[in-house]
């Protein structure tokens, strides 16, 4: 059984139903395309594919090879015309399609397809002696075709209006297909705003007329525009009622990647390089499944290129005598992570940044209720069966340095999901910002399940009632589009929006409602600070990629317990060793970020001691960090922020919280004591009074 991709079946449905004769294929059009052997039907006519790759070739087909073969074999086209600025107008006839590679055959300028073009051109323009030569016929007579885009499109328009009977059965029509390659170069988006020269605007009008031309719609001829970013062509080309259908070619899903990987392992040339058993398992099936999961968001060509890159790097090592013992190419998880980060940033035009998390929930002090809640949600997302139970958005509110970014990292670490940061998508050019946003939103759909992290969302998305209108409404439109996507029920369980803010009170109410959970992250208490101290050293060593070698020793020696992910999981005895230090930092009101700076300063002290002692090689032994190093660093540390501001931001975070169950246990001291009832629950009225009190004080000093 041969199961084609869903996007090609969509095209066939619109084509055979005479719904459209013109299509825009966009997004992942530079990838390999594969047919699989199994199909599982879903609701509303959709389906998913599985099984093995169906092909007689040892090399996968590119998008353009696949499309040409499909048009000849499935739609019985007799000629495929392709036009682009670089290659001009070319044609492949059905007789040539019997060859293995329909893209590398020599385009015969004297074939039936091109002869039609020459005859039409001669009828329209005479001999064309003043025209630029595009090639030569077999008898070396000059073959003259127009040089400008609009004239070439007019010639193709005349071909499209004709019906072409099958030479073997006159009652049967054999259509022709026209492919406009790199459509964004032929009809760029600015033409839709009336910008461009006369020739470009004529080309746009011709393409739009094709979609509604009654003569073309009476035939079985079809037109296909190819572009990676549909936002780079005028929206009027594929708008509702235009007669043209936009068909998105998505990134391959996990089943497709797994089938391709198994094909590359067993049947393709060249073969996939060997995989690390430690990272991907022992059997071929396990390795294919785990690599498919790890390459989420990558194209099939990216997986192929990754294998070639590992092989090329191994070849370079073989030429290096210093590494003669390490010559076997071996694909490891680090290679995948490196390649995936590069690929996703390239696909998103650097608008998304993939984050490689290194911390888990055990490395976060406190917040036990929140961590337990998030662990359950990740299980729901992984199963995809309980997606309605997964929040669409999680807002982390609180002062700087309280672990908002770490929560997002830990969530990605324990779930195995992609974690991406959304960069600034605003651009100075008209329309570019909105196109950037659409590009990012479309890409996120193929990265699922994915966690999208937006840091300082209060700065990235201002309120709609600020009265700012200098961007001609672009910001408001983008804001509305983002709200629409965040509230899309189809994304629940697939895209989890995680945002961080210091000032939840200045967020737009509509944006605040998009977050199912608003969680306050506060300055850590004594117990939370102990855990931060216990796990921070391991994180710093890991982030240094082995360049820093240090461990707790002496009175701070740890048991080395880890969880199932291999992340630090200190015992209570381990944590208690940091109790004297944690009492000091908690009393001062130091955040997790401040504790990290203290630990880093203590590491500096340890290395300074080694250098002062005249040690020849610092890296020859693992330096030991003890309590007197940390105590000295704590004493040396001077907070450069005002405690009152942090208290204020903490109260605002508690006010924005929408479930009591995620509020951490508040200490009976300072500002928190004044907002609690005798049973330790929050007194909302006292909370508001305390917020107003700080606001009056800060306003009186002109510092709010």
């Amino acid at each position: 059984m041969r199961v084609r991709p869903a996007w090609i079946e969509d095209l066939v449905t619109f084509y055979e139903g005479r719904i459209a004769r013109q299509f825009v294929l966009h997004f992942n059009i530079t990838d390999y395309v594969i047919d699989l052997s199994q199909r599982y039907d879903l609701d509303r006519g959709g389906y998913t594919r599985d099984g093995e790759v169906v092909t007689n070739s040892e090399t996968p087909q590119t998008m353009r090879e696949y499309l040409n073969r499909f048009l000849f074999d499935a739609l019985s086209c007799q000629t495929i015309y392709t036009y682009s600025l670089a290659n001009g107008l070319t044609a492949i006839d059905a007789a040539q399609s019997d060859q293995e590679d329909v893209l590398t055959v020599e385009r015969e300028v004297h074939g039936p397809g091109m002869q039609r073009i020459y005859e039409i051109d001669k009828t329209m323009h005479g001999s064309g002696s003043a025209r630029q030569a595009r090639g030569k016929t077999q008898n070396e007579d000059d073959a003259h075709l127009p040089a400008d885009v609009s004239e070439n499109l007019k010639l193709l328009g005349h071909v499209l209006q004709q019906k072409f009977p099958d030479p073997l059965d006159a009652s049967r029509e054999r259509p022709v297909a026209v492919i406009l390659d790199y459509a964004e170069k032929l009809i760029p988006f600015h033409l839709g705003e009336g910008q461009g020269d006369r020739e470009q605007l004529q080309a746009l009008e011709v393409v739009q007329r094709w979609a509604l031309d009654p003569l073309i719609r009476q035939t079985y001829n079809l037109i296909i525009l190819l572009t990676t970013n549909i936002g780079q062509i005028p929206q009027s080309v594929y708008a509702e009622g235009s007669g043209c259908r936009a068909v998105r070619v998505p990134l391959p899903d996990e089943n497709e990647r797994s089938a391709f990987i198994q094909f590359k392992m067993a049947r393709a040339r060249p073969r996939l390089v060997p995989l690390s058993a430690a990272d991907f398992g022992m059997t071929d099936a396990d390795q294919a499944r785990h690599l498919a999961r790890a390459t989420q968001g990558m194209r099939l060509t990216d997986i192929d290129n990754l294998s070639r890159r590992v092989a090329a790097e191994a070849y370079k090592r073989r030429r290096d005598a210093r590494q003669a013992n390490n010559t076997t190419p071996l694909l490891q998880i680090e290679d995948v992570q490196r390649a995936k980060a590069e690929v996703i940033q390239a696909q998103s035009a650097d608008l998304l940044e993939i984050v490689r998390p290194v911390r888990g929930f055990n490395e976060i002090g406190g917040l036990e209720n929140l961590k337990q809640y998030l662990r359950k949600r990740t299980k729901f997302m992984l199963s995809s069966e309980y997606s309605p139970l997964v929040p669409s958005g999680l807002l982390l509110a609180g002062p700087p340095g309280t672990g908002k970014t770490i929560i997002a990292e830990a969530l990605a670490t324990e779930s195995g999901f992609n974690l991406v940061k959304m960069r600034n998508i605003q651009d100075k050019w008209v329309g570019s910002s909105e196109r950037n946003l659409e590009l990012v939103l479309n890409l996120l759909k193929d990265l699922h399940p994915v966690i999208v992290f937006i840091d300082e969302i209060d700065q990235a998305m201002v309120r709609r009632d600020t009265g700012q209108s200098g961007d001609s409404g672009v910001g408001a439109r983008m804001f509305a589009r983002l709200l629409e996507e965040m509230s899309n029920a189809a994304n629940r369980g697939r895209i989890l929006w995680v945002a961080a803010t210091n000032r939840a009170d200045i967020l737009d109410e509509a944006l605040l409602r998009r977050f199912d959970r608003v969680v306050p992250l506060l300055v850590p208490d004594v117990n939370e600070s102990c855990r931060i101290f216990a796990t921070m050293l391991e994180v710093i060593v890991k982030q240094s990629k082995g360049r820093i070698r240090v461990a707790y020793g002496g009175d701070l020696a740890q048991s080395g317990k880890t969880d199932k992910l291999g992340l630090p999981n200190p015992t209570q005895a381990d944590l208690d060793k940091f109790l004297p230090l944690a009492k000091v930092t908690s009393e001062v009101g130091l955040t997790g970020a401040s504790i990290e700076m203290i630990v880093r300063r203590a590491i500096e002290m340890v290395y300074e001691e080694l250098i002062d002692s005249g040690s020849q090689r610092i890296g020859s032994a693992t330096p030991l960090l003890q309590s007197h190093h940390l105590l000295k660093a704590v004493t040396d540390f001077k907070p450069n922020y005002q405690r009152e501001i942090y208290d204020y931001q903490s109260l605002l975070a508690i006010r924005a919280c929408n479930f009591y169950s995620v509020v951490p246990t508040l200490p009976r001291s300072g500002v928190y004591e004044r907002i609690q009832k005798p049973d330790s629950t929050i007194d909302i009225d006292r909370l508001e009074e305390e917020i107003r009190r700080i606001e009056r004080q800060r306003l009186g000093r002109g510092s709010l």
Side-chain angles (χ1 to χ4, degrees), residues 116 139 165 168 262 268 368 456 490 532 679:
R116 294 190 199 101
N139 61 7
L168 302 179
Q262 293 182 68
E368 294 304 323
E456 295 184 348
I532 296 173
D679 61 357

Side-chain angles (χ1 to χ4, degrees), residues 3 39 233 245-246 253 276 339 516 525 535-536 627 661 701:
V3 183
R39 165 178 173 149
I233 66 174
R245 287 281 178 165
D253 63 22
S276 166
D516 301 68
D525 60 17
T535 59
M536 183 58 68
S627 61
S661 57
R701 294 195 294 267

